Amino acid sequence: MTTKDATYNYAIRLGDNALILGHRLSELCSRGPILEEDLALTNVALDMIGRAQALLKYAAELEGKGHTEDDIAYRRAEINYHNHLLIEQPNGDFAHTIARQLYLSVFEYLFFTELEKSKDATLAAIASKTIKEVKYHMQHAIDWTLRLGDGTVESHKRMQKGLNDLYMYTGELFEMDHIDTYLLHQHIAVDTLSLKAKWQSEIEKVLTEATLSLPEDTYMQTGSKKGVHTENLGHILSEMQYLQRAYPDAKW
Amino acid sequence: MHNEHSDTHFQSRIDNGEHIEAKDYMPEGYRKHLIRQMSQHAHSEVIGMQPEGNWITRAPSLRAKQILLAKIQDEGGHGLYLYSAVETLGVSRAELIEQLQTGKAKYSSIFNYPALNWADIGAIGWLVDGAAIVNQVSLQRTSYGPYSRAMVRICKEESFHQRQGYEIMTTMMRGTKDQQAMAQDAMNRWWWPSLMMFGPHDSDSPRSGDAVKWKIKRETNDELRQKFIDKTIPQAELIGLTIPDKNFKLDEKTGHYTLSPINWEEFHRVVSGHGPCNKQRLDHHIKYHQEGAWVREAAEAYKLKTAKKELVTA
């Protein structure tokens, strides 16, 4: 494995996270509980697609086969996708969406704060832009967690259920495989394992204020680093890639 | 001396080209006309998110996806901005939404047509937003201040939407045979409905009289429609799209294009609720509004709780 190969994989993983979450949040367009929220979620989706574009473009450069970011996004099969399982989970009700946003945005805030120090200049620059957006995403998720947790009996129940249902996908956020370790030694990648305690305490702080509780320890699902996903990803890709696959010679 | 609360004084202000502001005296008919027109405009922005939203997850490139997302976000923002402008006339957003959902208030009938292929996203931007701009540019000079200012802001974004729509059509017409066929198909389906967006002919438009007198409407339906036709036909021809009308021609004397008669039977059918997507659009709006009720209740309950806590600690 060369640094270039490893960095390609790393950029793909980060790009896929942004792309697939952007897709999930886009599904909510015109389906928000109020118009303001429709705009807020679309806004997060827009940030995500922008981030995906930057990361997949970088991956395409590293790959060096003359592909574009669109080739990478639209012509890869499920097994070559490496987004976290958490991200591809369906939106569910609004509490479910917010639970996913909370788990992820707190993680991303910690992650990109570290990635900003990466020796890879491109990743560091993308991280630096991303961190500004993620602060907003995290605040948005926290605000809604408080409102739903400490709102009505029904909203409390739904929020707790969202948190419980998704908790088993959070372990994966902190996994380190040989690519991560290799790049960590070169000061390119983030040591995600070291973020776990901080993540847990941040989440607990928010949940306590929201009168919610951190779900009990459970078996943590895993697989995305090897390209093994939940059944959801195939459906996302068949929708997302439809035009590119149906008209392979067309330029859009 | 004029009585500030008289219709005569009001009309003289209008005739002098003054803006009417929220707290100024206005005849009840003027207020009602504005509420009807502005809320219809706001609802159109919001319902219009549906046909375009139908393609976000299938947008064929990351760039196209971002542009479409940003555009839909603009539309939602326009809706929000316009709802606030209507609220200056003493109606709440909740009431306006209820009027929409019970069918008392209308939205632009154009959104009762389906977005069936990717070129429809181009056609909506180019033709639908293009038609809307012609109307909205004119409305920048409308007599009600908050509406006029909303239009100034909205027009800036709409012209960007129109350009991106035309760009999609151009790209597809330069593309493969399949893409060209999609673009022409979209043109065939959206051309006539976009001409209907300007409303009935002046001779058949019952509300135009007062609206013109009050300078809410600065140009008539037919004048605005003609502007749009004259602007759009050369754009279509430039990229090789065929106008789906065998009889259209340029009148050399007037410089205006003439067309076959518009199918007003279709227009009235769609307005009265029998377009391809009328039921779907309203059902969608109602469904997600209802599904969001518990979220709005939670936000309200939380607001009350935190306000109380602040009172205790203050």
mmCIF file of all heavy atoms in Angstrom, chain A residues 45-54 69, chain B residues 56 59 61-73 160:
data_model
loop_
_atom_site.group_PDB
_atom_site.id
_atom_site.type_symbol
_atom_site.label_atom_id
_atom_site.label_comp_id
_atom_site.label_asym_id
_atom_site.label_seq_id
_atom_site.Cartn_x
_atom_site.Cartn_y
_atom_site.Cartn_z
ATOM 1 N N ALA A 45 -28.130 19.317 3.675
ATOM 2 C CA ALA A 45 -27.934 18.438 2.508
ATOM 3 C C ALA A 45 -26.993 19.100 1.499
ATOM 4 O O ALA A 45 -26.081 18.464 0.958
ATOM 5 C CB ALA A 45 -29.268 18.127 1.847
ATOM 6 N N LEU A 46 -27.204 20.376 1.289
ATOM 7 C CA LEU A 46 -26.385 21.123 0.331
ATOM 8 C C LEU A 46 -24.921 21.162 0.773
ATOM 9 O O LEU A 46 -24.008 20.942 -0.037
ATOM 10 C CB LEU A 46 -26.960 22.533 0.219
ATOM 11 C CG LEU A 46 -26.545 23.408 -0.941
ATOM 12 C CD1 LEU A 46 -26.729 22.700 -2.273
ATOM 13 C CD2 LEU A 46 -27.363 24.693 -0.924
ATOM 14 N N ASP A 47 -24.696 21.393 2.053
ATOM 15 C CA ASP A 47 -23.320 21.349 2.580
ATOM 16 C C ASP A 47 -22.700 19.982 2.323
ATOM 17 O O ASP A 47 -21.529 19.871 1.955
ATOM 18 C CB ASP A 47 -23.312 21.582 4.102
ATOM 19 C CG ASP A 47 -23.618 23.029 4.469
ATOM 20 O OD1 ASP A 47 -23.565 23.889 3.584
ATOM 21 O OD2 ASP A 47 -23.910 23.283 5.659
ATOM 22 N N MET A 48 -23.505 18.947 2.537
ATOM 23 C CA MET A 48 -22.992 17.580 2.403
ATOM 24 C C MET A 48 -22.595 17.273 0.961
ATOM 25 O O MET A 48 -21.551 16.670 0.713
ATOM 26 C CB MET A 48 -24.060 16.571 2.864
ATOM 27 C CG MET A 48 -24.259 16.567 4.348
ATOM 28 S SD MET A 48 -22.774 15.977 5.198
ATOM 29 C CE MET A 48 -23.158 16.402 6.875
ATOM 30 N N ILE A 49 -23.441 17.648 0.019
ATOM 31 C CA ILE A 49 -23.123 17.359 -1.377
ATOM 32 C C ILE A 49 -21.884 18.158 -1.806
ATOM 33 O O ILE A 49 -21.032 17.662 -2.548
ATOM 34 C CB ILE A 49 -24.319 17.670 -2.316
ATOM 35 C CG1 ILE A 49 -25.591 16.934 -1.860
ATOM 36 C CG2 ILE A 49 -23.997 17.312 -3.763
ATOM 37 C CD1 ILE A 49 -25.552 15.438 -1.972
ATOM 38 N N GLY A 50 -21.770 19.377 -1.309
ATOM 39 C CA GLY A 50 -20.586 20.187 -1.610
ATOM 40 C C GLY A 50 -19.318 19.525 -1.071
ATOM 41 O O GLY A 50 -18.283 19.462 -1.746
ATOM 42 N N ARG A 51 -19.423 19.012 0.141
ATOM 43 C CA ARG A 51 -18.279 18.342 0.756
ATOM 44 C C ARG A 51 -17.942 17.063 -0.026
ATOM 45 O O ARG A 51 -16.771 16.780 -0.290
ATOM 46 C CB ARG A 51 -18.605 17.996 2.215
ATOM 47 C CG ARG A 51 -17.380 17.588 3.014
ATOM 48 C CD ARG A 51 -17.726 16.761 4.249
ATOM 49 N NE ARG A 51 -18.618 17.446 5.178
ATOM 50 C CZ ARG A 51 -19.153 16.857 6.247
ATOM 51 N NH1 ARG A 51 -18.872 15.599 6.539
ATOM 52 N NH2 ARG A 51 -19.980 17.511 7.043
ATOM 53 N N ALA A 52 -18.972 16.328 -0.403
ATOM 54 C CA ALA A 52 -18.766 15.091 -1.175
ATOM 55 C C ALA A 52 -18.036 15.409 -2.477
ATOM 56 O O ALA A 52 -17.104 14.702 -2.875
ATOM 57 C CB ALA A 52 -20.102 14.422 -1.474
ATOM 58 N N GLN A 53 -18.455 16.484 -3.116
ATOM 59 C CA GLN A 53 -17.838 16.836 -4.393
ATOM 60 C C GLN A 53 -16.335 17.106 -4.223
ATOM 61 O O GLN A 53 -15.517 16.612 -4.990
ATOM 62 C CB GLN A 53 -18.535 18.055 -4.986
ATOM 63 C CG GLN A 53 -18.136 18.305 -6.429
ATOM 64 C CD GLN A 53 -18.866 19.485 -7.036
ATOM 65 O OE1 GLN A 53 -19.271 20.408 -6.335
ATOM 66 N NE2 GLN A 53 -19.032 19.452 -8.344
ATOM 67 N N ALA A 54 -15.998 17.867 -3.191
ATOM 68 C CA ALA A 54 -14.583 18.194 -2.953
ATOM 69 C C ALA A 54 -13.772 16.928 -2.667
ATOM 70 O O ALA A 54 -12.671 16.739 -3.203
ATOM 71 C CB ALA A 54 -14.467 19.175 -1.794
ATOM 72 N N GLU A 69 -15.233 13.340 -10.344
ATOM 73 C CA GLU A 69 -15.949 13.042 -9.092
ATOM 74 C C GLU A 69 -17.300 12.401 -9.400
ATOM 75 O O GLU A 69 -17.805 11.585 -8.615
ATOM 76 C CB GLU A 69 -16.109 14.298 -8.225
ATOM 77 C CG GLU A 69 -16.893 15.455 -8.841
ATOM 78 C CD GLU A 69 -15.999 16.439 -9.595
ATOM 79 O OE1 GLU A 69 -14.993 16.005 -10.191
ATOM 80 O OE2 GLU A 69 -16.320 17.649 -9.581
ATOM 81 N N ILE B 56 -34.355 15.576 -7.006
ATOM 82 C CA ILE B 56 -33.075 15.829 -6.308
ATOM 83 C C ILE B 56 -32.265 14.546 -6.158
ATOM 84 O O ILE B 56 -31.081 14.501 -6.452
ATOM 85 C CB ILE B 56 -33.268 16.390 -4.892
ATOM 86 C CG1 ILE B 56 -33.999 17.718 -4.925
ATOM 87 C CG2 ILE B 56 -31.909 16.612 -4.219
ATOM 88 C CD1 ILE B 56 -34.233 18.258 -3.531
ATOM 89 N N ALA B 59 -30.727 13.502 -9.464
ATOM 90 C CA ALA B 59 -29.971 14.474 -10.273
ATOM 91 C C ALA B 59 -28.709 13.809 -10.804
ATOM 92 O O ALA B 59 -28.024 13.103 -10.063
ATOM 93 C CB ALA B 59 -29.621 15.692 -9.428
ATOM 94 N N SER B 61 -25.674 14.676 -11.782
ATOM 95 C CA SER B 61 -24.279 15.009 -11.441
ATOM 96 C C SER B 61 -24.301 15.728 -10.093
ATOM 97 O O SER B 61 -25.346 16.232 -9.671
ATOM 98 C CB SER B 61 -23.640 15.914 -12.498
ATOM 99 O OG SER B 61 -24.162 17.227 -12.392
ATOM 100 N N LEU B 62 -23.149 15.763 -9.448
ATOM 101 C CA LEU B 62 -23.087 16.405 -8.134
ATOM 102 C C LEU B 62 -23.350 17.901 -8.263
ATOM 103 O O LEU B 62 -23.988 18.514 -7.412
ATOM 104 C CB LEU B 62 -21.729 16.142 -7.479
ATOM 105 C CG LEU B 62 -21.432 14.666 -7.190
ATOM 106 C CD1 LEU B 62 -20.046 14.502 -6.600
ATOM 107 C CD2 LEU B 62 -22.473 14.077 -6.244
ATOM 108 N N ARG B 63 -22.879 18.467 -9.366
ATOM 109 C CA ARG B 63 -23.112 19.895 -9.594
ATOM 110 C C ARG B 63 -24.611 20.157 -9.778
ATOM 111 O O ARG B 63 -25.180 21.073 -9.186
ATOM 112 C CB ARG B 63 -22.326 20.348 -10.830
ATOM 113 C CG ARG B 63 -22.530 21.794 -11.170
ATOM 114 C CD ARG B 63 -21.629 22.224 -12.340
ATOM 115 N NE ARG B 63 -21.916 23.595 -12.700
ATOM 116 C CZ ARG B 63 -22.798 23.932 -13.639
ATOM 117 N NH1 ARG B 63 -23.450 22.998 -14.310
ATOM 118 N NH2 ARG B 63 -23.032 25.205 -13.904
ATOM 119 N N ALA B 64 -25.249 19.327 -10.619
ATOM 120 C CA ALA B 64 -26.686 19.505 -10.880
ATOM 121 C C ALA B 64 -27.491 19.350 -9.592
ATOM 122 O O ALA B 64 -28.462 20.057 -9.347
ATOM 123 C CB ALA B 64 -27.156 18.489 -11.918
ATOM 124 N N LYS B 65 -27.058 18.417 -8.765
ATOM 125 C CA LYS B 65 -27.757 18.169 -7.497
ATOM 126 C C LYS B 65 -27.672 19.397 -6.590
ATOM 127 O O LYS B 65 -28.650 19.809 -5.979
ATOM 128 C CB LYS B 65 -27.115 16.957 -6.815
ATOM 129 C CG LYS B 65 -28.016 16.231 -5.835
ATOM 130 C CD LYS B 65 -27.253 15.150 -5.102
ATOM 131 C CE LYS B 65 -27.114 13.838 -5.825
ATOM 132 N NZ LYS B 65 -28.307 12.988 -5.714
ATOM 133 N N GLN B 66 -26.484 19.986 -6.528
ATOM 134 C CA GLN B 66 -26.314 21.169 -5.674
ATOM 135 C C GLN B 66 -27.127 22.353 -6.182
ATOM 136 O O GLN B 66 -27.734 23.085 -5.411
ATOM 137 C CB GLN B 66 -24.838 21.576 -5.613
ATOM 138 C CG GLN B 66 -24.016 20.636 -4.768
ATOM 139 C CD GLN B 66 -22.538 20.979 -4.824
ATOM 140 O OE1 GLN B 66 -22.064 21.847 -4.136
ATOM 141 N NE2 GLN B 66 -21.809 20.298 -5.682
ATOM 142 N N ILE B 67 -27.113 22.533 -7.504
ATOM 143 C CA ILE B 67 -27.862 23.664 -8.063
ATOM 144 C C ILE B 67 -29.354 23.484 -7.791
ATOM 145 O O ILE B 67 -30.043 24.422 -7.386
ATOM 146 C CB ILE B 67 -27.588 23.810 -9.583
ATOM 147 C CG1 ILE B 67 -26.135 24.232 -9.802
ATOM 148 C CG2 ILE B 67 -28.540 24.814 -10.218
ATOM 149 C CD1 ILE B 67 -25.695 24.246 -11.251
ATOM 150 N N LEU B 68 -29.827 22.265 -7.990
ATOM 151 C CA LEU B 68 -31.250 22.018 -7.769
ATOM 152 C C LEU B 68 -31.624 22.196 -6.297
ATOM 153 O O LEU B 68 -32.643 22.819 -5.972
ATOM 154 C CB LEU B 68 -31.621 20.610 -8.269
ATOM 155 C CG LEU B 68 -33.099 20.234 -8.168
ATOM 156 C CD1 LEU B 68 -33.986 21.220 -8.925
ATOM 157 C CD2 LEU B 68 -33.344 18.822 -8.704
ATOM 158 N N LEU B 69 -30.790 21.672 -5.408
ATOM 159 C CA LEU B 69 -31.045 21.846 -3.973
ATOM 160 C C LEU B 69 -31.098 23.328 -3.599
ATOM 161 O O LEU B 69 -31.997 23.768 -2.879
ATOM 162 C CB LEU B 69 -29.932 21.185 -3.156
ATOM 163 C CG LEU B 69 -30.127 19.751 -2.704
ATOM 164 C CD1 LEU B 69 -28.816 19.202 -2.180
ATOM 165 C CD2 LEU B 69 -31.188 19.634 -1.623
ATOM 166 N N ALA B 70 -30.132 24.078 -4.118
ATOM 167 C CA ALA B 70 -30.070 25.502 -3.795
ATOM 168 C C ALA B 70 -31.308 26.218 -4.338
ATOM 169 O O ALA B 70 -31.872 27.101 -3.685
ATOM 170 C CB ALA B 70 -28.798 26.119 -4.370
ATOM 171 N N LYS B 71 -31.714 25.806 -5.516
ATOM 172 C CA LYS B 71 -32.885 26.438 -6.140
ATOM 173 C C LYS B 71 -34.144 26.172 -5.316
ATOM 174 O O LYS B 71 -34.918 27.081 -5.036
ATOM 175 C CB LYS B 71 -33.055 25.886 -7.556
ATOM 176 C CG LYS B 71 -34.285 26.391 -8.262
ATOM 177 C CD LYS B 71 -34.338 25.836 -9.692
ATOM 178 C CE LYS B 71 -35.404 26.497 -10.530
ATOM 179 N NZ LYS B 71 -36.754 26.216 -10.115
ATOM 180 N N ILE B 72 -34.321 24.929 -4.917
ATOM 181 C CA ILE B 72 -35.525 24.596 -4.152
ATOM 182 C C ILE B 72 -35.503 25.313 -2.803
ATOM 183 O O ILE B 72 -36.523 25.766 -2.294
ATOM 184 C CB ILE B 72 -35.655 23.070 -3.967
ATOM 185 C CG1 ILE B 72 -35.761 22.409 -5.338
ATOM 186 C CG2 ILE B 72 -36.864 22.724 -3.117
ATOM 187 C CD1 ILE B 72 -35.758 20.904 -5.310
ATOM 188 N N GLN B 73 -34.306 25.444 -2.279
ATOM 189 C CA GLN B 73 -34.171 26.165 -1.024
ATOM 190 C C GLN B 73 -34.575 27.636 -1.207
ATOM 191 O O GLN B 73 -35.242 28.209 -0.350
ATOM 192 C CB GLN B 73 -32.719 26.074 -0.560
ATOM 193 C CG GLN B 73 -32.579 26.242 0.917
ATOM 194 C CD GLN B 73 -31.135 26.321 1.328
ATOM 195 O OE1 GLN B 73 -30.250 26.578 0.513
ATOM 196 N NE2 GLN B 73 -30.886 26.134 2.584
ATOM 197 N N PHE B 160 -31.591 33.783 -11.813
ATOM 198 C CA PHE B 160 -30.595 32.699 -11.730
ATOM 199 C C PHE B 160 -31.252 31.345 -12.012
ATOM 200 O O PHE B 160 -30.715 30.513 -12.739
ATOM 201 C CB PHE B 160 -29.927 32.740 -10.344
ATOM 202 C CG PHE B 160 -29.350 31.428 -9.884
ATOM 203 C CD1 PHE B 160 -28.163 30.954 -10.431
ATOM 204 C CD2 PHE B 160 -29.994 30.673 -8.906
ATOM 205 C CE1 PHE B 160 -27.636 29.738 -10.000
ATOM 206 C CE2 PHE B 160 -29.477 29.465 -8.484
ATOM 207 C CZ PHE B 160 -28.292 28.993 -9.036
#
